[in-house]
Amino acid sequence: MTRAERARRPTLADVAARAGVSVALVSIVMRDVPGASPASRQRVLQAADELGYRPDTRARLLRSSRSRLLGVVFGVQHAFHGDLVSGLYTAADRVGYELALSAVTPQRDEQRAAASLLQDRCEALVLLGPHTRTAHLAELAARLPVVVVARAVRHRDVDVVRTADESGLHEAVDHLVGLGHRRIAHVDGGRAPGAAERRRGYRDAMRHHGLAADVHVLSGGLTEDDGAAAARALLDLTPRPTAVTVFNDRCALGVLDVLQRAGLAVPGDISVVGYDDSRLARLSHVGLTTIAQDIEQITTLAVTRAIDRLERNPVSHRELVVPPHLVVRTTTCPPPATCPPPAT
């Protein structure tokens, strides 16, 4: 192959000339439809490989008026959103769809992120933990299928895939009570998606265990700074809680930092449970006990629901709720005096 030949993209005609067959036969092979003998198919594929030919799927989709693009709005500041995006890529690839990503940043809001995806000819939108008001979500859903992940939305036109957040916090409290803790606080997520459900799950679990008098909710949020502020408030409580559940893993990192800087051992003096089982929780030097959301199931359901809407398949439930589960690592143990010393 000459330098000029390498510089331009190989075409169907190039493959046909190399294989000694017609362009029509090459097209049949590349579209993987009946009409070519095994020997011809092999010859065409070998010629395509030698030339470095790759089908222009985007051009084919444009001709068919389909993009097979799912738009995803995610927050760059959320570690868990990164895990969800990875899962969405896997789920979309299994069914022959591609993703177009649009990020929410401190300078770029969700409405702008969604608007850019509409310009990219996305066929459906998947929104990760959006803060956008329900009315705006409904406006988007009037234009194309919208699937919201990790937030409850009460609107008949908006599909939802979320974790059973109340159940997750109940499981966190059950774990701590099972270790012997009674004074258990909760650092909440403010107005973040899922925060109200997790806060409610904490309160219900404490009441279930007869610990209503020990309920203490501390103002928190999404970030390490929010967790640090909550931890400083926790240090001022008398008597101090022996355990704390935290809205998410990122906020829990801020809690861990302040507690350790104050000279408290985690979990020797105080146990900490996060939420999400994000990659931050799995870091070896963090080892955070946390409530895991089933990323594979959530992302598979989100992609499947978007495609069901596109293909007008029957859907029985607008909202799909996935159960979470506890992952025990090194930040929880029985209360002080009964907790073994940390390994050295």
Side-chain angles (χ1 to χ4, degrees):
M1 186 185 299
T2 68
R3 181 177 299 178
E5 289 174 325
R6 287 195 300 270
R8 69 180 181 86
R9 180 172 181 151
T11 66
L12 285 178
D14 296 327
V15 176
R18 173 65 66 95
V21 299
S22 68
V23 173
L25 183 60
V26 174
S27 177
I28 287 172
V29 173
M30 290 304 161
R31 289 184 288 120
D32 196 24
V33 296
S37 69
S40 295
R41 187 176 296 275
Q42 178 61 33
R43 190 160 66 251
V44 168
L45 292 175
Q46 182 177 343
D49 185 61
E50 291 171 354
L51 292 171
Y53 173 81
R54 295 292 180 271
D56 190 346
T57 55
R58 190 63 59 87
R60 187 177 71 248
L61 290 170
L62 286 171
R63 289 193 297 270
S64 69
S65 77
R66 290 289 306 273
S67 70
R68 297 187 76 83
L69 271 178
L70 303 179
V72 179
V73 174
F74 70 103
V76 295
Q77 295 180 302
H78 304 313
F80 184 60
H81 284 195
D83 294 341
L84 287 171
V85 167
S86 295
L88 288 169
Y89 268 115
T90 301
D93 186 60
R94 282 198 297 261
V95 292
Y97 277 72
E98 294 286 343
L99 300 186
L101 304 183
S102 189
V104 177
T105 73
Q107 294 78 36
R108 190 172 192 260
D109 64 19
E110 290 173 352
Q111 294 191 29
R112 184 177 171 190
S116 73
L117 293 173
L118 297 178
Q119 295 173 355
D120 287 340
R121 297 184 67 248
C122 291
E123 296 189 296
L125 295 183
V126 179
L127 310 180
L128 306 185
H131 292 255
T132 303
R133 57 191 176 87
T134 300
H136 180 64
L137 295 174
E139 291 171 7
L140 288 173
R143 302 178 63 178
L144 75 176
V146 171
V147 181
V148 168
V149 174
R151 170 187 162 185
V153 178
R154 292 181 180 147
H155 196 282
R156 66 181 182 276
D157 295 328
V158 179
D159 288 298
V160 171
V161 180
R162 67 177 180 88
T163 296
D165 286 316
E166 288 187 43
S167 173
L169 251 295
H170 210 296
E171 195 166 350
V173 172
D174 290 347
H175 168 64
L176 293 169
V177 171
L179 290 172
H181 292 276
R182 295 294 179 269
R183 298 195 307 275
I184 304 168
H186 176 64
V187 175
D188 83 349
R191 302 183 66 180
E197 291 81 4
R198 296 177 197 183
R199 188 164 54 245
R200 186 161 53 247
Y202 160 75
R203 292 182 183 276
D204 289 347
M206 292 291 282
R207 285 194 292 267
H208 173 77
H209 289 289
L211 302 174
D214 294 296
V215 167
H216 201 109
V217 177
L218 298 158
S219 296
L222 292 163
T223 70
E224 294 91 344
D225 288 344
D226 295 322
R232 287 190 285 270
L234 184 149
L235 292 173
D236 291 335
L237 297 179
T238 305
R240 190 172 61 221
T242 63
V244 58
T245 62
V246 187
F247 170 70
N248 69 9
D249 294 340
R250 188 177 171 195
C251 187
L253 289 187
V255 171
L256 291 173
D257 181 63
V258 167
L259 293 179
Q260 290 165 352
R261 289 176 184 273
L264 295 178
V266 177
D269 294 316
I270 184 166
S271 289
V272 178
V273 180
Y275 201 108
D276 286 340
D277 194 28
S278 66
R279 58 184 178 274
L280 297 174
R282 299 190 294 269
L283 293 172
S284 59
H285 69 281
V286 176
L288 181 66
T289 295
T290 187
I291 299 299
Q293 303 196 60
D294 191 332
I295 291 173
E296 181 178 1
Q297 186 176 6
I298 290 170
T299 53
T300 297
L301 288 173
V303 169
T304 300
R305 175 53 55 87
I307 295 172
D308 282 342
R309 293 300 190 187
L310 288 171
E311 298 182 356
R312 302 185 184 279
N313 295 330
V315 170
S316 57
H317 299 289
R318 182 189 61 81
E319 182 178 66
L320 302 172
V321 182
V322 178
H325 64 276
L326 176 73
V327 177
V328 178
R329 295 195 178 95
T330 62
T331 59
T332 54
C333 75
T338 60
C339 187
T344 57

